[in-house]
Amino acid sequence: MSESVLNPNESLAIIQKVVNSTRQDYHIQRKFYILWGMLIAVASFSQYAILNQILSLPWFSPWILFPGIGLILSVFWGSSSKNSSLSYYNHFVLTMWFTLYIAMGLSLFISLFNQISPFPFLLICVGIGTSISGFLMKNRLFVLCGIIFGLGAIYCVYLPIQQQLLLNGACMIIGNVMPNLISHHV
Amino acid sequence: MFNELDPLLNSPIRLAVMSILLTVKHAHFNDLLKETQTTQGNLSHQLKKLHEAGYVQIEKTFKNNYPLTIINISEKGKSAFEVYVENIKKYLHLNENNT
């Protein structure tokens, strides 16, 4: 089989073309963001309903049920797609979110141990992840959403726990679910 | 002048494959097929050459009962690519000076 041999200009053109096409390859699956944003929002609203005696369930039940659903679906989706191509960008983002989830878990434990609200810390963690994703994608919407989470975290400090739940749910929908639904650049 | 360039990399498909593999942790055969826009047979042939040279690692597995080939670049492949790019730069630099 005869092969065409490249000259240096052609070689450089091929390398540039490939690098330029993969630079825009930000196809982290939006369904994970949408799923977790929705579940955390629903869990927050459910706990609000429980605390206001609209629902008669143990106060912690939404935080077991909805993250449990999220975990099962994430493992299922993750295992079914782990053998596809994985760019270094996607690998970095997945690792970052995994680390942030650990940080959120630790924040939750420390907050409950000290009997303080975990929501400001959780909002900060989600805000950091969203902002970094936005900076990497050069997507201003995601950077803005990260800032919204940060502002939400500060505002949380001035609210009673029940209103913090509503604020947490609203931040998840505005800062996480909506940008992933409307953005085509993820 | 062209003899300085690695003949294994100095072919359109193999160079495209190596360039893609540098930007990903691992690549699916079908993704490479789509990116390189070549035939399945040709891509397999070019990958075999890269594999024999130790430039890529190939893992053959199954997904939902269908065969799946996962390719990633080796350290040797990364080094060879770096040398190749350096040689191109040198050549283009010489070329610029000559003109």
Side-chain angles (χ1 to χ4, degrees), chain A residues 1-18, chain B residues 5-21 32 35-39 42-43 46-47 49-50 81 84 88:
Chain A
M1 188 188 287
S2 64
E3 288 184 29
S4 60
V5 176
L6 299 165
N7 67 43
N9 282 313
E10 289 169 333
S11 300
L12 199 62
I14 287 175
I15 295 166
Q16 280 176 336
K17 188 183 166 192
V18 170
Chain B
L5 297 175
D6 186 339
L8 261 170
L9 297 180
N10 208 28
S11 117
I13 301 300
R14 289 198 295 268
L15 183 62
V17 166
M18 291 293 281
S19 303
I20 294 164
L21 291 177
L32 291 180
E35 292 293 330
T36 55
Q37 295 180 336
T38 187
T39 62
N42 189 29
L43 181 60
Q46 306 304 337
L47 282 173
K49 284 191 173 183
L50 291 170
F81 191 87
Y84 181 82
I88 289 174

Side-chain angles (χ1 to χ4, degrees), chain A residues 6-80:
Chain A
L6 299 165
N7 67 43
N9 282 313
E10 289 169 333
S11 300
L12 199 62
I14 287 175
I15 295 166
Q16 280 176 336
K17 188 183 166 192
V18 170
V19 169
N20 286 337
S21 67
T22 51
R23 197 175 283 169
Q24 294 160 13
D25 181 29
Y26 299 130
H27 61 273
I28 279 285
Q29 292 178 323
R30 288 183 291 171
K31 62 185 178 186
F32 285 101
Y33 288 104
I34 295 166
L35 171 75
W36 278 100
M38 285 297 292
L39 289 173
I40 299 297
V42 172
S44 300
F45 296 142
S46 299
Q47 198 189 355
Y48 177 82
I50 291 166
L51 292 178
N52 283 286
Q53 295 174 340
I54 299 167
L55 288 173
S56 54
L57 290 166
W59 68 270
F60 53 83
S61 57
W63 299 104
I64 293 173
L65 175 67
F66 296 109
I69 293 169
L71 198 65
I72 291 165
L73 281 174
S74 296
V75 169
F76 178 72
W77 288 343
S79 63
S80 64

Side-chain angles (χ1 to χ4, degrees), chain A residues 7 12 15 29 38 59 74 86 90 97-98 104-105 116 121-122 126 131 150-151 157 163 166:
Chain A
N7 67 43
L12 199 62
I15 295 166
Q29 292 178 323
M38 285 297 292
W59 68 270
S74 296
L86 180 67
N90 285 352
W97 278 108
F98 179 73
M104 283 187 248
I116 55 171
F121 307 112
L122 299 182
V126 178
S131 291
L151 293 173
V157 176
Q163 288 176 27
L166 292 179

Side-chain angles (χ1 to χ4, degrees), chain A residues 155-180:
Chain A
Y155 192 48
C156 251
V157 176
Y158 299 101
L159 294 175
I161 186 72
Q162 293 188 6
Q163 288 176 27
Q164 283 186 26
L165 287 161
L166 292 179
L167 182 66
N168 188 57
C171 281
M172 288 297 164
I173 289 171
I174 296 166
N176 199 326
V177 177
M178 281 175 61
N180 281 293

